Amino acid sequence: MSSTHEQGSNMLVPSFTYSPLPQKLYTRMIRLLPDEDKDAPIKCEFFSYNLSRSSNGGHLYEALSYIWESPARSCSIILNSCTFLITESLHTALLHLRDRQLDRVL
């Protein structure tokens, strides 16, 4: 699930790589973890979500519409304990969406 890449002075830092989805009716989601400190690094947990399972036909997640941009200005987040680079606009959106006390599934 993870690999390493070089950063700075020959230091290896874990970076995130995707695993295949288990079946057709699965999608990838992140759990945006809360933090009391608004300036704390963004931490997320990545997981596979089964869209066919729901007791009442609904699902408890929020969708974030996002357009991939040029990676020229990137920021890092912690995703499953690994470094993951994202665009500056996505980083800003996650900062605004992060709650101080509750997880948020996106």
Side-chain angles (χ1 to χ4, degrees):
M1 180 192 289
S2 64
S3 62
T4 57
H5 71 275
E6 251 184 81
Q7 179 177 339
S9 59
N10 296 328
M11 185 174 86
L12 291 178
V13 176
S15 64
F16 186 83
T17 55
Y18 294 98
S19 298
L21 289 170
Q23 296 175 11
K24 279 186 179 181
L25 293 174
Y26 279 75
T27 189
R28 293 182 176 100
M29 299 224 185
I30 63 167
R31 182 173 293 106
L32 179 58
L33 301 176
D35 203 302
E36 291 282 334
D37 179 2
K38 65 179 180 134
D39 297 321
I42 293 177
K43 295 180 182 175
C44 298
E45 296 172 345
F46 196 66
F47 63 98
S48 298
Y49 183 82
N50 186 343
L51 292 168
S52 67
R53 290 192 175 182
S54 173
S55 59
N56 62 0
H59 299 278
L60 299 175
Y61 64 86
E62 298 172 277
L64 175 63
S65 179
Y66 177 70
I67 297 173
W68 291 101
E69 320 172 345
S70 167
R73 295 175 67 184
S74 61
C75 299
S76 64
I77 63 171
I78 306 301
L79 183 61
N80 289 15
S81 301
C82 296
T83 301
F84 189 77
L85 293 177
I86 60 173
T87 61
E88 188 175 43
S89 63
L90 178 56
H91 188 268
T92 300
L94 293 175
L95 280 174
H96 287 290
L97 289 169
R98 179 171 59 183
D99 192 82
R100 295 179 74 177
Q101 297 180 20
L102 301 173
D103 293 356
R104 210 163 182 171
V105 176
L106 304 170

